[in-house]
Amino acid sequence: MRSIVTRWGTHLAVCLFVFPISVLAAGLADVVGEGQIRFLKTKPDPNSYTYESKVTILETSLDSGLVQIQTCHKKLDPIRKVVILFNKDRIRDIQVRTMDGIAMAEVKDNRVTLSEVQKGGSICIDLQSKALDSLGNGLYQLNAGPLMRRLFDGYLPMTANMKFSWPDKLLAVQETKPAIQDGVDIKSANDGLEMDLVFAGKMTAQILLKRSD
């Protein structure tokens, strides 16, 4: 059984295990080892796994910490069974919104089990999570990660598109980690933030927000 592990709390973790054949497309030079992270200007294999998420922060989220999340796993590798596991202490109301190229998706407690995944299959899952942490003095933090695409003891390149939205001028972005660089494109506005990442390794992103006066 292969696993995609997804924990929305202070962290969102996605761990995708892939087949050795993927190395042929990505190239051995693009595989990084444990403890390493490499941001890439372009994705070596444009047809490989992609992760997408959208986090909606409401004004009530600042008190409750509860946010709405939409996630999509796209261009999956063919595999008999995949388990997507969420943080049971933070998560609630998991619902499969759409799926394609997957025989069955079973939601039970804090996990979604996929059966008979075809090459290029996809699934989108909606949920709620107490993922916004207050740091005091009007500061809040969201952490996304670690995101990874694992091959045995190494990690293959993957892309992640993460969108964060909130009511206009409710919050202002103070800092993001990683910062803008090759493989990291960030667009911010008065009502949200979007991060596009191309990387190999175990990636964790942190977003520091401040409530507008």
Side-chain angles (χ1 to χ4, degrees):
M1 180 187 299
R2 308 285 181 168
S3 299
I4 301 173
V5 181
T6 307
R7 295 194 303 270
W8 261 106
T10 54
H11 293 276
L12 160 69
V14 177
C15 181
L16 181 74
F17 294 84
V18 299
F19 290 99
I21 194 171
S22 300
V23 179
L24 300 177
L28 286 172
D30 299 309
V31 179
V32 304
E34 187 69 43
Q36 298 178 318
I37 179 73
R38 181 186 304 153
F39 292 101
L40 308 169
K41 185 176 293 186
T42 58
K43 186 178 181 182
D45 179 11
N47 294 315
S48 64
Y49 170 73
T50 297
Y51 174 79
E52 297 177 0
S53 67
K54 181 179 179 180
V55 180
T56 302
I57 302 172
L58 305 174
E59 188 165 1
T60 55
S61 302
L62 303 185
D63 294 323
S64 67
L66 194 66
V67 300
Q68 299 172 0
I69 305 170
Q70 297 175 317
T71 66
C72 290
H73 303 270
K74 298 184 175 181
K75 301 178 182 177
L76 291 165
D77 288 292
I79 196 166
R80 186 180 64 83
K81 184 172 287 188
V82 177
V83 177
I84 303 174
L85 182 65
F86 297 92
N87 187 326
K88 64 180 180 179
D89 297 324
R90 296 270 189 161
I91 219 69
R92 64 181 70 175
D93 195 23
I94 302 173
Q95 297 184 23
V96 175
R97 176 161 37 98
T98 62
M99 66 177 185
D100 182 63
I102 299 169
M104 185 175 68
E106 179 185 14
V107 180
K108 185 176 181 180
D109 298 326
N110 62 320
R111 66 181 60 205
V112 181
T113 302
L114 313 183
S115 300
E116 304 300 336
V117 179
Q118 299 176 20
K119 181 176 176 58
S122 64
I123 187 167
C124 294
I125 302 169
D126 295 348
L127 54 131
Q128 295 182 359
S129 178
K130 196 169 183 179
L132 185 68
D133 289 334
S134 175
L135 304 180
N137 297 318
L139 291 174
Y140 299 86
Q141 183 166 287
L142 275 172
N143 296 318
L147 306 177
M148 67 195 82
R149 183 173 174 233
R150 181 184 283 276
L151 174 72
F152 302 125
D153 294 328
Y155 301 91
L156 286 169
M158 63 172 282
T159 61
N161 173 267
M162 298 185 291
K163 297 178 181 178
F164 305 86
S165 65
W166 50 80
D168 189 42
K169 298 180 180 179
L170 176 66
L171 297 164
V173 178
Q174 301 296 291
E175 184 181 14
T176 65
K177 295 180 181 179
I180 295 175
Q181 57 186 285
D182 284 347
V184 181
D185 183 51
I186 301 174
K187 301 181 181 69
S188 60
N190 290 331
D191 61 352
L193 171 77
E194 181 173 1
M195 301 182 72
D196 281 295
L197 305 110
V198 184
F199 63 93
K202 187 184 294 186
M203 196 285 302
T204 299
Q206 297 178 329
I207 302 168
L208 183 64
L209 303 166
K210 183 174 178 60
R211 182 165 189 168
S212 301
D213 295 329

